Amino acid sequence: MKNENIGLATIAKPYLIIGALLAGLAVVLGAFGAHGLKSLLTSQQLNTFEIGVRYQMYHALALLLLPALSITSTWGNRVAFCFVIGTVLFSGSLYALSISGIKWFGPITPLGGLFFIVGWGLLVIGLIKGHKSVKQQASQKPGASNV
């Protein structure tokens, strides 16, 4: 994947595009759920659908904000991968479960949640390591004092 250097972090450009697409799709699906599915689904099914939309938007926005963070491309791309896979599995399974009523989609949801959790954990690690590498780079610059 070609990397796009934006801000401090270098995140693979396809992840940023996917983040924008997922955010736009969350708006479309939210409107579809509120208007098109309201009369077709039970309140519990509609609530399940809305949870999928909510988590899709949270993680789409997180993808778009990754370049603003002090993390390396290695950590940033790992986080992005987890957020994308998590969104597909978590939100996708909730959409399928709520619309179709097929119960075997239910066990897929926690797997998506696991990808979200791992992604957030990797983000913490990346932020810690990113700040260390920024400090190391600053101390290695000519004329920097080593106090």
Side-chain angles (χ1 to χ4, degrees):
M1 283 190 222
K2 182 180 181 240
N3 288 336
E4 191 70 21
N5 192 357
I6 302 172
L8 296 173
T10 304
I11 306 297
K13 188 174 181 178
Y15 288 131
L16 299 175
I17 293 168
I18 290 169
L21 289 170
L22 287 174
L25 184 60
V27 173
V28 170
L29 290 172
F32 176 65
H35 302 289
L37 296 177
K38 194 171 188 173
S39 62
L40 300 174
L41 301 180
T42 67
S43 62
Q44 184 177 357
Q45 289 172 309
L46 195 56
N47 185 52
T48 299
F49 190 89
E50 289 172 354
I51 290 169
V53 171
R54 189 176 327 133
Y55 276 79
Q56 178 174 330
M57 181 59 86
Y58 291 158
H59 290 87
L61 293 174
L63 279 168
L64 293 172
L65 291 173
L66 280 175
L69 303 176
S70 298
I71 56 177
T72 65
S73 61
T74 301
W75 290 104
N77 287 309
R78 288 174 182 168
V79 171
F81 175 80
C82 287
F83 286 174
V84 170
I85 298 301
T87 300
V88 170
L89 295 175
F90 185 88
S91 296
S93 66
L94 289 180
Y95 300 145
L97 178 64
S98 62
I99 291 172
S100 73
I102 299 172
K103 300 292 182 199
W104 66 264
F105 284 115
I108 298 171
T109 307
L111 186 57
L114 182 60
F115 272 95
F116 285 155
I117 293 166
V118 169
W120 288 107
L122 291 174
L123 180 57
V124 170
I125 293 168
L127 288 169
I128 291 168
K129 289 187 176 277
H131 288 296
K132 285 182 184 176
S133 67
V134 168
K135 286 179 186 175
Q136 288 171 349
Q137 287 173 358
S139 68
Q140 292 174 355
K141 286 184 181 177
S145 62
N146 292 333
V147 179

